[in-house]
Amino acid sequence: MQQQNTNPDHNIPGEELIYERVAGIVYARYTNPKLRDIPRWIIGGDPQGFIPGTGMPKPEEWWEISDPMPDWTLLQKHKKLRDMYTAYLTEQEKYKAWEELSGQR
């Protein structure tokens, strides 16, 4: 399923657009220099370009992470960090369940 325009308010008749594709997501922005203060917005793209379970685009650095394993020694030393990581894992389990229920997994 393709993602839809995330900002339908950006529709100025007669203004030309520039389309950019980054990490499977298509963005649009205005060519008019007077409208450069309006940031680019998502108009569509490949669902793989989005973080699963959200409408958020994956950061460009997402593809550069080669080893996402945490530093276990550091987690054992700091209770607050360990608690935050446990909360993160709990959220991941929720996303996995949501993806299975919605047929994405």
Side-chain angles (χ1 to χ4, degrees), residues 16-47:
E16 292 183 13
L17 298 173
I18 295 173
Y19 298 97
E20 303 168 332
R21 180 180 295 273
V22 178
I25 301 170
V26 180
Y27 297 90
R29 62 183 171 91
Y30 292 109
T31 59
N32 187 341
K34 294 177 184 175
L35 299 173
R36 292 283 167 100
D37 60 321
I38 299 174
R40 69 183 185 179
W41 63 95
I42 298 171
I43 60 168
D46 180 7

Side-chain angles (χ1 to χ4, degrees), residues 6 8 19 41 46 54 57 68 73 83-85 97 104:
T6 58
Y19 298 97
W41 63 95
D46 180 7
T54 71
T73 306
D83 292 344
M84 291 171 64
Y85 186 67
Q104 292 183 9

Side-chain angles (χ1 to χ4, degrees), residues 55-82:
M56 299 183 335
K58 289 181 182 177
E60 292 180 29
E61 304 85 34
W62 189 278
W63 312 105
E64 297 173 10
I65 299 172
S66 59
D67 183 16
M69 296 302 293
D71 182 342
W72 299 112
T73 306
L74 191 63
L75 287 173
Q76 290 172 354
K77 287 182 182 178
H78 302 282
K79 182 182 180 335
K80 185 174 180 180
L81 187 57
R82 185 174 58 244

